[in-house]
Amino acid sequence: MIDRFGRNIDYLRISVTDRCNLRCVYCMPEEGVPFKSHEIILSIEEIARVVRVAAENGVTRVRLTGGEPLVRKGIIALVDDISHTPGIEDVSMTTNGILLPRFGEDLREAGLTRVNISLDTLDPEKYRQITRLGHIDDALAGIDCALELGFDPVKINAVAVRSLDQDFLAFARLSIDRPLHVRFIEYMPVGLSSGGTGAGWTAEDSIPTDELIGRIDTEAEAAGIGALQPVEAEDAPGGTGPARYYRFAGAQGTVGFISGVSNHFCSTCNRLRLTADGKLRPCLFSDREVDVVRALREIGTDEAIEHALYEAVGIKPEEHEGDEGTERRMSQIGG
Ligand code: SAM
Ligand code: SF4
């Protein structure tokens, strides 16, 4: 599936649920978001069917996300189904890690190869403050479990938010002794335009990548670790993607930066998103969506699903305007 700007769309990012066991301050309001009813949410079989049709049309990689994908019933069966779908070469997951010790082994056996675990601080109090509901020991146990089970690579996603006053060097240091790939994600304006009840994003709260690298380098040099060294694109963990990678001398892992706000990576964007309620979303930052539910439930043919996929690819914008905001929150899109 080639879009109007010559990009080959071969990556499908699926939000399998809008529910979550945490309430991260930048993602969800404290009281949660009104969840979509079970009838609206795509069934495991419907998601697997969309993946099969997408794979027949050139999709080779699938990432499962949410909400929290590990609170979705049937998630292991879904991983198993997708990993056995002809044409799918890679199935990965973005998770807060809390339930990995419980499900990690089954997920690995079902064919999950890689995990991204979201963690924004190493300070237990701050973790509680950011996630509102979580205990940091659970997330750290999730990381240990991911390494023990041999997921490769294991990436740690940290959203950098100025007002949260995170210790970025402590975080980057996680990449030194173990093969962990720490990635700092610019805080993005998602969920803003919902009548002022969005996650409270402000431009000042996003820390531009260059500023962040500068801060980490200064502190790392003062601590005798030395500055970050760029990693060549072909040596980046898990292949090409929107992150720019660096490494501390002698480190086992890397430190990456994803600059969704300050540095558009739209020209190489190869992804399509599927929301839990069955909308194909060509761009994270735009509310233009294509409904796939009718194709699944009313028309019921593979051709109709294929048509929806091509329609979504056909309206994929060339690039996004950095701060346009969206009606949906990140937990409803999948990040
Ligand atoms: N619950 C899973 C998790 O936290 O990894 C998967 C879903 S979560 C929405 C996916 C990613 O989006 C997480 O890494 C989270 O930190 C990130 N995220 C959420 N809101 C964000 C925002 N406003 N800007 C940047 N990243 C955000
Ligand atoms: Fe849940 Fe992930 Fe959003 Fe945190 S970032 S509230 S863990 S969906």
Side-chain angles (χ1 to χ4, degrees), residues 224-240:
I225 302 168
L228 289 165
Q229 310 297 324
V231 170
E232 295 299 327
E234 58 270 24
D235 297 330
T240 53

Side-chain angles (χ1 to χ4, degrees), residues 32-331:
V33 179
F35 294 132
K36 310 266 179 193
S37 70
H38 284 298
E39 303 81 69
I40 292 178
I41 298 296
L42 295 187
S43 69
I44 293 295
E45 294 72 24
E46 286 171 331
I47 297 173
R49 186 170 182 200
V50 175
V51 171
R52 179 174 55 74
V53 176
E56 285 164 6
N57 287 279
V59 165
T60 57
R61 298 192 297 140
V62 172
R63 174 169 294 276
L64 301 172
T65 172
E68 173 48 44
L70 294 181
V71 304
R72 174 73 203 249
K73 280 210 183 78
I75 186 72
I76 291 163
L78 181 63
V79 169
D80 192 56
D81 195 315
I82 295 175
S83 68
H84 289 96
T85 299
I88 298 297
E89 295 162 9
D90 182 64
V91 191
S92 58
M93 182 178 283
T94 300
T95 168
N96 59 36
I98 303 278
L99 292 171
L100 266 183
R102 193 181 316 167
F103 296 124
E105 207 166 329
D106 289 344
L107 288 166
R108 193 87 180 90
E109 273 171 24
L112 191 74
T113 49
R114 324 191 273 127
V115 283
N116 289 5
I117 299 173
S118 303
L119 178 69
D120 307 309
T121 179
L122 295 174
D123 175 333
E125 275 304 307
K126 201 164 277 186
Y127 183 80
R128 182 81 183 171
Q129 180 200 334
I130 294 173
T131 63
R132 294 197 184 101
L133 298 176
H135 297 284
I136 196 164
D137 288 345
D138 295 334
L140 296 176
I143 295 173
D144 293 345
C145 166
L147 287 171
E148 278 160 23
L149 288 171
F151 287 106
D152 184 26
V154 177
K155 296 181 183 172
I156 310 294
N157 285 348
V159 184
V161 183
R162 199 180 301 278
S163 58
L164 292 178
D165 193 24
Q166 296 140 294
D167 182 344
F168 297 117
L169 179 61
F171 225 83
R173 286 177 95 137
L174 285 179
S175 68
I176 297 179
D177 295 330
R178 298 194 291 174
L180 288 173
H181 303 279
V182 175
R183 293 145 23 112
F184 293 104
I185 302 175
E186 269 181 3
Y187 183 25
M188 294 186 277
V190 170
L192 254 194
S193 57
S194 43
T197 55
W201 182 88
T202 64
E204 303 77 63
D205 247 356
S206 279
I207 307 180
T209 292
D210 290 344
E211 179 188 333
L212 194 52
I213 295 177
R215 270 172 67 174
I216 293 173
D217 274 350
T218 307
E219 290 176 27
E221 281 177 349
I225 302 168
L228 289 165
Q229 310 297 324
V231 170
E232 295 299 327
E234 58 270 24
D235 297 330
T240 53
R244 274 190 288 154
Y245 285 98
Y246 297 78
R247 189 190 288 281
F248 288 123
Q252 292 197 42
T254 59
V255 181
F257 298 87
I258 302 181
S259 335
V261 180
S262 68
N263 182 2
H264 289 189
F265 39 69
C266 307
S267 65
T268 56
C269 180
N270 58 351
R271 53 185 75 172
L272 205 56
R273 292 181 160 79
L274 175 63
T275 66
D277 57 348
K279 309 284 185 246
L280 289 163
R281 199 174 163 101
C283 175
L284 173 62
F285 292 94
S286 163
D287 283 326
R288 282 193 78 185
E289 296 173 345
V290 174
D291 180 53
V292 79
V293 177
R294 205 173 149 258
L296 281 163
R297 297 186 187 165
E298 289 176 35
I299 311 174
T301 62
D302 284 2
E303 288 70 32
I305 299 168
E306 195 173 281
H307 189 266
L309 286 166
Y310 277 93
E311 193 181 335
V313 168
I315 60 165
K316 194 170 162 67
E318 185 168 20
E319 57 180 31
H320 67 81
E321 299 302 325
D323 55 359
E324 57 195 70
T326 67
E327 291 293 329
R328 286 180 189 265
R329 289 165 184 281
M330 205 66 120
S331 62

